[in-house]
Amino acid sequence: FQPFGSISLNYNYTDINLKHGYGNATYHLLGLKPEISFTTKLLWSTLIQYNTQLKNISFNSIFQWRYAPMSDFYIVLRDDANLSGVNKSIELSFKLTYWLGI
């Protein structure tokens, strides 16, 4: 999709085996990250992850507007839910940066 966007799929497998009977654990982390560039100043990126250690699904979406060089406005939506679909937390954040150039 370049130069307009990209999609990546990530998988992380962790196998922990402790000596002397302290136990073992296996964890999986699966992530999907689509990114879209509407223009050179308007960008959107999302990360969706499934985590077997925490037994939850995470969603993080960032909308970025570069209104001047080194100056950005961000809107961030973040959501964590367990496997039954019950939200653990949901956040909506705004961030404004401005470069003074002194």
Side-chain angles (χ1 to χ4, degrees):
F1 300 122
Q2 290 292 341
F4 303 109
S6 66
I7 297 175
S8 63
L9 183 64
N10 298 310
Y11 175 72
N12 187 344
Y13 172 78
T14 305
D15 188 16
I16 301 170
N17 291 306
L18 302 174
K19 295 181 181 181
H20 308 295
Y22 285 105
N24 56 23
T26 302
Y27 301 116
H28 305 271
L29 181 64
L30 181 63
L32 174 69
K33 186 174 185 179
E35 297 177 323
I36 298 173
S37 299
F38 300 105
T39 67
T40 56
K41 296 182 178 190
L42 210 54
L43 313 160
W44 177 47
S45 175
T46 298
L47 175 64
I48 303 166
Q49 284 188 328
Y50 170 65
N51 185 339
T52 60
Q53 180 182 11
L54 300 174
K55 296 183 177 141
N56 75 342
I57 298 172
S58 300
F59 174 83
N60 190 28
S61 188
I62 301 171
F63 184 77
Q64 177 185 358
W65 172 42
R66 177 154 290 165
Y67 59 91
M70 303 291 292
S71 303
D72 300 295
F73 176 67
Y74 299 93
I75 301 172
V76 180
L77 177 63
R78 185 176 174 276
D79 186 13
D80 284 326
N82 62 19
L83 294 179
S84 63
V86 176
N87 283 345
K88 292 180 180 179
S89 67
I90 187 165
E91 297 175 20
L92 180 63
S93 306
F94 302 94
K95 180 181 178 183
L96 182 67
T97 61
Y98 182 75
W99 185 58
L100 295 174
I102 296 174

